[in-house]
Amino acid sequence: MYKYIFKRLVMLIPVIIGVTFLVYFILDFAPGDPVAIILGIEATEEAIQEVRKELGLDKPFIIQYLNYMAKLCRGDLGKSWAKSRDVMGEIITAFPPTITLTFWGMLVAVSLALPIGIISAVYQYSIFDNVLMVCALLGISMPSFWLGLLLILTFALNLGWVPSGGVGSWKSFILPSISLGTSSMATITRLTRSSMLEVIRADYIRTAKAKGVNQRTVILKHALRNALIPVVTMIGMQIGGMLGGSVLTETVFSIPGCGRLLVDGIKQKDTPMIL
């Protein structure tokens, strides 16, 4: 096990180098001058050149990248060009809203996906099963930002039940949690159903039923325990996906998390923050 963990950690090194180089390359050659974006259209050429020199942007691309990697190896993520503050500090400040949103989004997904997947497997090919699988397909296919806009329009603007965004109270996380968790809920539902169908056909399940064990006990105690093995793995993968995929949700609902930080960095071409 330790050998496997060590191997995976070593494989992180070329991945980090490749990703950072690709992002740095794209941002460096993309149209637009980050200094001009930061200083505004009224900035003089002298001021722009001075800031470029201060940020090291007057040097060749490869030198800029090597300087960044040298700082990264020392644990220094650099300073935000737009905000002139440490990137690590900005990430630490923005991380709690992202964690909170991910937690509630996954809670919504799991609390709905597991019972729906179990019931669909038990009543396979019934009207209930067919309707839920169609809904799951829609949930996977539906873009989170489009669902978020529909939720805001319906429950925030028209009905006025919950806030349309921000992090003012726990109610502010209701709509974004639903928006973020819908896709994961649909994925977990389909996996739970398929895993349960595979397990309930096993010999030991038929043996338990032949012995007269209660149907509920057979499903929840014997079948579900074994069916949850791939589901738990998927939940772990979905948590990582939510942390990285909250960009659109945080933007739509104006949540000051890491996703919103990334979007603002892209708008300002703030390379250290994006990296």
Side-chain angles (χ1 to χ4, degrees), residues 16-145:
I16 291 175
I17 294 175
V19 171
T20 53
F21 181 83
L22 183 62
V23 173
Y24 214 110
F25 178 83
I26 293 174
L27 291 172
D28 188 74
F29 287 92
D33 186 355
V35 177
I37 296 174
I38 295 169
L39 296 181
I41 58 176
E42 297 181 357
T44 63
E45 185 63 28
E46 291 78 9
I48 292 177
Q49 293 302 326
E50 183 178 349
V51 174
R52 286 183 61 85
K53 186 176 181 180
E54 180 182 344
L55 298 177
L57 298 178
D58 57 330
K59 299 176 182 177
F61 158 75
I62 192 64
I63 300 299
Q64 296 179 39
Y65 175 73
L66 291 176
N67 289 337
Y68 173 80
M69 292 302 296
K71 292 180 180 179
L72 185 63
C73 292
R74 299 194 297 268
D76 183 7
L77 298 181
K79 283 189 176 183
S80 168
W81 293 347
K83 300 181 179 180
S84 299
R85 293 196 290 263
D86 288 337
V87 171
M88 180 60 74
E90 292 293 305
I91 293 176
I92 292 174
T93 302
F95 204 57
T98 300
I99 286 290
T100 304
L101 176 60
T102 300
F103 172 78
W104 288 112
M106 183 53 65
L107 185 64
V108 168
V110 173
S111 60
L112 293 176
L114 290 183
I116 291 174
I118 293 169
I119 296 173
S120 294
V122 173
Y123 299 100
Q124 186 184 15
Y125 301 134
S126 64
I127 296 178
F128 183 80
D129 178 31
N130 292 331
V131 170
L132 288 179
M133 288 304 99
V134 170
C135 292
L137 181 61
L138 291 175
I140 294 174
S141 307
M142 190 180 303
S144 61
F145 67 89

Side-chain angles (χ1 to χ4, degrees), residues 5-273:
I5 295 175
F6 177 76
K7 182 180 178 181
R8 300 295 294 182
L9 291 175
V10 171
M11 288 175 63
L12 278 176
I13 297 175
V15 171
I16 291 175
I17 294 175
V19 171
T20 53
F21 181 83
L22 183 62
V23 173
Y24 214 110
F25 178 83
I26 293 174
L27 291 172
D28 188 74
F29 287 92
D33 186 355
V35 177
I37 296 174
I38 295 169
L39 296 181
I41 58 176
E42 297 181 357
T44 63
E45 185 63 28
E46 291 78 9
I48 292 177
Q49 293 302 326
E50 183 178 349
V51 174
R52 286 183 61 85
K53 186 176 181 180
E54 180 182 344
L55 298 177
L57 298 178
D58 57 330
K59 299 176 182 177
F61 158 75
I62 192 64
I63 300 299
Q64 296 179 39
Y65 175 73
L66 291 176
N67 289 337
Y68 173 80
M69 292 302 296
K71 292 180 180 179
L72 185 63
C73 292
R74 299 194 297 268
D76 183 7
L77 298 181
K79 283 189 176 183
S80 168
W81 293 347
K83 300 181 179 180
S84 299
R85 293 196 290 263
D86 288 337
V87 171
M88 180 60 74
E90 292 293 305
I91 293 176
I92 292 174
T93 302
F95 204 57
T98 300
I99 286 290
T100 304
L101 176 60
T102 300
F103 172 78
W104 288 112
M106 183 53 65
L107 185 64
V108 168
V110 173
S111 60
L112 293 176
L114 290 183
I116 291 174
I118 293 169
I119 296 173
S120 294
V122 173
Y123 299 100
Q124 186 184 15
Y125 301 134
S126 64
I127 296 178
F128 183 80
D129 178 31
N130 292 331
V131 170
L132 288 179
M133 288 304 99
V134 170
C135 292
L137 181 61
L138 291 175
I140 294 174
S141 307
M142 190 180 303
S144 61
F145 67 89
W146 185 73
L147 175 61
L149 293 175
L150 289 181
L151 292 174
I152 291 174
L153 182 64
T154 304
F155 296 102
L157 298 181
N158 292 340
L159 298 177
W161 290 352
V162 289
S164 60
V167 290
S169 65
W170 63 271
K171 292 182 179 181
S172 303
F173 286 96
I174 294 178
L175 296 185
S177 298
I178 296 174
S179 176
L180 184 64
T182 297
S183 178
S184 295
M185 179 187 69
T187 302
I188 296 171
T189 297
R190 291 172 65 86
L191 181 61
T192 302
R193 178 182 180 274
S194 61
S195 182
M196 282 291 296
L197 287 174
E198 183 178 348
V199 170
I200 60 179
R201 297 191 183 104
D203 291 339
Y204 68 91
I205 297 296
R206 286 195 290 268
T207 302
K209 290 180 179 179
K211 288 182 178 180
V213 179
N214 181 271
Q215 174 77 359
R216 183 177 180 181
T217 303
V218 171
I219 296 299
L220 298 181
K221 185 177 180 181
H222 297 286
L224 182 59
R225 285 185 178 181
N226 292 284
L228 281 179
I229 295 174
V231 176
V232 171
T233 303
M234 175 59 69
I235 290 174
M237 296 172 63
Q238 290 294 319
I239 291 176
M242 280 187 176
L243 286 171
S246 62
V247 176
L248 295 176
T249 303
E250 290 181 2
T251 302
V252 171
F253 291 94
S254 300
I255 296 176
C258 291
R260 181 72 180 274
L261 204 65
L262 175 62
V263 172
D264 292 341
I266 293 173
K267 289 179 180 178
Q268 297 166 333
K269 207 177 178 184
D270 189 350
T271 301
M273 183 63 72

